[in-house]
Amino acid sequence: ENLPLCSATRISLTDKNSNASFDETKPTIFTDWSPASLQNWKDRMSFIQRFGSHPQYVKGGDVQPLQNARGEKCTARTSTLVDTMRERFDNDESNIAGGGHGRQMKDDLLFFTNDVENPTFMESIMKDVSVPAPISQHSAWAGENMGFRVFSAMEQGSSHPFYFHEAAWLGQVSGARLWY
């Protein structure tokens, strides 16, 4: 895939002849990450069949769990959350244009979780994927520095509100990502 020119270093994860070192203080784009096991859940129905029974927090555009009238965090099965996100995206006439880069609903629901709040779901995901070398072999990711793992899914054509986080490795299964 042709990526726009920028100052970020590019490293192919499939090129065994490349020098795979990188500076964790600078942006690096790792290309060609495509574990064969991801083919097991690359479409919505396959994903739901594989992970649909796991509970999830229902989160709003601020990436925080929504709460019911009693102040309890709202939860749903993965299958229900994925289906609801699709229905809301397809049927909500208040969708606003995202500058040609996707639509963002005014009252977005996000599928965003991590291994602290949902360890069983993340364990299931990690049976199919792992952090690829050279990332997993870099000292920045060793031992206590490993941090936590996140998973996020969105509808095709939708977008996530702007956000900031510290250094992270983000693997993307499909779609496109804009960096600002």
Side-chain angles (χ1 to χ4, degrees):
E1 184 173 329
N2 293 330
L3 298 173
L5 294 176
C6 65
S7 61
T9 301
R10 286 176 173 69
I11 297 175
S12 170
L13 296 174
T14 59
D15 184 359
K16 303 298 181 196
N17 298 321
S18 72
N19 178 0
S21 65
F22 66 97
D23 181 348
E24 72 270 10
T25 65
K26 297 180 180 175
T28 304
I29 298 173
F30 295 93
T31 61
D32 307 316
W33 181 72
S34 185
S37 57
L38 292 181
Q39 298 302 314
N40 296 332
W41 46 278
K42 70 176 190 172
D43 63 65
R44 179 182 293 102
M45 289 310 300
S46 298
F47 183 83
I48 288 173
Q49 288 171 350
R50 192 161 177 93
F51 306 108
S53 64
H54 288 276
Q56 303 293 338
Y57 287 114
V58 179
K59 296 184 178 181
D62 61 355
V63 196
Q64 297 301 311
L66 300 178
Q67 297 182 358
N68 64 19
R70 296 185 301 271
E72 301 164 329
K73 294 178 181 176
C74 298
T75 60
R77 289 174 20 139
T78 298
S79 58
T80 303
L81 180 57
V82 169
D83 288 341
T84 302
M85 289 172 61
R86 175 61 178 223
E87 289 171 18
R88 287 172 53 98
F89 187 78
D90 285 346
N91 298 324
D92 190 338
E93 293 183 17
S94 68
N95 283 344
I96 56 176
H101 303 296
R103 298 182 299 177
Q104 181 179 330
M105 292 187 344
K106 291 179 181 176
D107 297 315
D108 257 344
L109 292 181
L110 297 181
F111 184 165
F112 190 91
T113 191
N114 61 62
D115 60 356
V116 173
E117 69 184 19
N118 202 336
T120 58
F121 173 75
M122 294 301 292
E123 287 168 12
S124 294
I125 292 287
M126 296 310 294
K127 289 178 184 175
D128 288 346
V129 298
S130 62
V131 177
I135 300 163
S136 62
Q137 298 167 351
H138 196 281
S139 62
W141 298 94
E144 295 297 317
N145 293 330
M146 194 58 168
F148 65 100
R149 300 172 194 268
V150 299
F151 178 88
S152 177
M154 301 183 74
E155 274 306 311
Q156 182 176 353
S158 64
S159 65
H160 187 285
F162 284 107
Y163 63 99
F164 170 83
H165 54 74
E166 297 300 322
W169 175 80
L170 301 171
Q172 185 163 322
V173 177
S174 67
R177 178 183 296 270
L178 285 176
W179 296 91
Y180 295 94

